[in-house]
Amino acid sequence: MDYYVGEIRLFPYNRIPADWLPCNGQQLQINQYAALNSLIGSYYGGDAKTVFNLPNLNGRAILGYTTVPKTTTVYTMGQAGGTETVVLTTSQIPPHVHSLTADNTYDAGGANTHYLGNPNTPTVATQTSKNAANANLYAVPVATDPLVPMGPCIGNTGASAGHENRGPYLAMNYCIAIQGLYPPRP
């Protein structure tokens, strides 16, 4: 044996080697796995009297435990966090702009395609009469008139469903050694 009790290795196949167990959070009896329990204790769950849990790495990324430099963030041994999906609320979306492009003249390029244009604004600087368009869907604005919503291009959208919150990944088999050399103290 050239591995330590409690060592976690990544295997590229779906078989569990002898003297190893999958890192799937399963609960073990302390009296049957005393050496392993003496190393990982109840970091990953259990009552610390009769049972303890293995780390659950199913669908998880591993993060080293430490204090993150230049921050107050501390990751303790056995701490789990994150989520596989996230539902964003309006307050979590960064400020941004959805532009609406429109002509500022009423009948430039076709009277029925520029409803936001002002019929009193000339199409060209030399124009002397009003534009001759036959439709004006917006009234002259007054202080209390809001812009009329125009379907899906203005307003809230979305289904309030979670979206994938993980980067690209490759599924493999994490296992923990239940037999082997006991790690010496320094």
Side-chain angles (χ1 to χ4, degrees):
M1 287 184 247
D2 62 345
Y3 45 85
Y4 291 111
V5 174
E7 180 179 335
I8 294 176
R9 286 193 184 176
L10 190 58
F11 294 96
Y13 43 82
N14 63 359
R15 294 188 332 216
I16 309 301
D19 298 331
W20 296 77
L21 287 174
C23 290
N24 62 5
Q26 69 181 304
Q27 196 167 77
L28 302 176
Q29 296 294 317
I30 290 174
N31 61 1
Q32 293 177 352
Y33 300 93
L36 180 58
N37 177 69
S38 72
L39 294 167
I40 67 172
S42 59
Y43 283 134
Y44 310 102
D47 64 10
K49 294 176 184 162
T50 59
V51 293
F52 70 104
N53 291 12
L54 296 179
N56 186 355
L57 294 175
N58 290 337
R60 303 276 177 221
I62 295 175
L63 179 69
Y65 84 100
T66 187
T67 300
V68 177
K70 299 181 183 179
T71 72
T72 58
T73 305
V74 177
Y75 297 103
T76 59
M77 184 65 73
Q79 176 183 346
T83 182
E84 293 178 8
T85 60
V86 173
V87 177
L88 294 177
T89 62
T90 304
S91 66
Q92 294 169 316
I93 299 173
H96 63 285
V97 175
H98 291 241
S99 299
L100 175 64
T101 304
D103 289 326
N104 65 354
T105 59
Y106 193 63
D107 64 354
N112 294 323
T113 60
H114 301 289
Y115 297 126
L116 297 179
N118 183 339
N120 297 315
T121 303
T123 302
V124 294
T126 58
Q127 183 176 335
T128 56
S129 62
K130 291 183 178 181
N131 289 305
N134 60 5
N136 186 356
L137 298 183
Y138 286 86
V140 176
V142 295
T144 58
D145 283 349
L147 182 63
V148 177
M150 295 175 50
C153 68
I154 297 177
N156 294 335
T157 187
S160 297
H163 71 277
E164 177 82 18
N165 197 40
R166 294 173 287 197
Y169 58 87
L170 175 64
M172 295 181 86
N173 190 13
Y174 280 109
C175 294
I176 188 167
I178 57 173
Q179 298 290 324
L181 302 172
Y182 194 86
R185 293 184 185 256

